[in-house]
Amino acid sequence: MVRSGKMLVTYGAWGVSTRGVAAAVAEALASDRLSVDVRPAREVDNLAGYRAVVIGTPLQAGRLHEDVREFVERHRTALHDIPVAVFAVCLAMKADTPENRRDVEGSLATLWEACPEAKPVDIGLFGRAARPREVALQRLPFARRARHKNMKPLGGSYSDWDDVVAWTARAHDRLIGG
Ligand SMILES: Cc1cc2nc3c(=O)[nH]c(=O)nc-3n(C[C@H](O)[C@H](O)[C@H](O)COP(=O)(O)O)c2cc1C
């Protein structure tokens, strides 16, 4: 099984959570033989050269990000031939219950209504991001915590890293073979 090539991780986002998870997925996917581009969905004009695609979206009021809807619509022909995995980042998945999964998966399923051949090989569901910087701050002694609070945040926020890495490993195998 050939595992080399290039993959795309693309996302729509209102805030920073989905972008942070997309970056974590890309980092977990990348290897010596597999390069990974991370790009906002609205900036992707062409899927030529990608052997697989991972699409990430947040949810607002049960709806997926418009950029992701448009991405699937715009690339529907190419997506027939490229394996796709999808992940959602949303508050509901902070409580990973069968009901919440069903609701979020129901929202994601609307993506494939116009493009049934492009059904994802895997779906990742992540609760709204935990913020490592804030978690780290809580562990600092009070005086240092006050000083660090005035510093600029270092970056985005991330869902639980272990969950993202575990899902990415499974999605990788389904996208391009284990
Ligand atoms: C106006 C608004 C509506 C939201 N609606 C939902 C929702 O219906 N279901 C859900 O699980 N999360 C909902 N959320 C939570 C977002 O999905 C969550 O904050 C997500 O991490 C945002 O990702 P982003 O930072 O990449 O934009 C909502 C958040 C906002 C601000």
Side-chain angles (χ1 to χ4, degrees):
M1 181 85 58
V2 181
R3 293 182 216 167
S4 57
K6 192 155 80 153
M7 266 169 112
L8 173 68
V9 179
T10 190
Y11 60 90
W14 291 286
V16 296
S17 307
T18 311
R19 192 180 69 202
V21 175
V25 167
E27 199 177 319
L29 279 172
S31 68
D32 289 349
R33 300 178 62 196
L34 188 70
S35 68
V36 184
D37 291 343
V38 189
R39 298 171 64 193
R42 67 174 170 278
E43 292 178 9
V44 181
D45 296 329
N46 199 326
L47 295 183
Y50 292 116
R51 61 173 302 177
V53 178
V54 179
I55 305 171
T57 181
L59 244 72
Q60 271 196 9
R63 284 185 61 81
L64 313 180
H65 199 282
E66 203 53 34
D67 290 353
V68 167
R69 296 191 161 283
E70 286 173 11
F71 174 91
V72 171
E73 187 61 38
R74 193 161 68 248
H75 298 292
R76 54 188 292 184
T77 309
L79 289 173
H80 288 179
D81 301 323
I82 306 175
V84 182
V86 178
F87 70 84
V89 184
C90 62
L91 209 49
M93 290 311 300
K94 275 189 116 173
D96 188 352
T97 64
E99 292 77 20
N100 287 348
R101 274 188 174 258
R102 200 185 48 228
D103 286 352
V104 179
E105 283 177 357
S107 296
L108 284 175
T110 62
L111 263 188
W112 315 110
E113 280 167 0
C115 193
E117 299 87 345
K119 272 216 175 98
V121 297
D122 207 339
I123 294 175
L125 304 177
F126 304 111
R128 203 182 81 133
R131 295 195 176 150
R133 178 176 172 271
E134 287 175 9
V135 172
L137 273 176
Q138 279 162 19
R139 296 204 187 107
L140 289 174
F142 178 77
R144 285 185 59 203
R145 204 184 311 160
R147 200 165 64 233
H148 280 260
K149 260 190 176 158
N150 295 327
M151 290 166 64
K152 275 189 153 184
L154 293 174
S157 47
Y158 298 86
S159 285
D160 184 273
W161 176 260
D162 292 340
D163 287 350
V164 173
V165 170
W167 176 73
T168 304
R170 194 182 69 190
H172 170 278
D173 290 352
R174 291 183 176 173
L175 284 165
I176 62 172

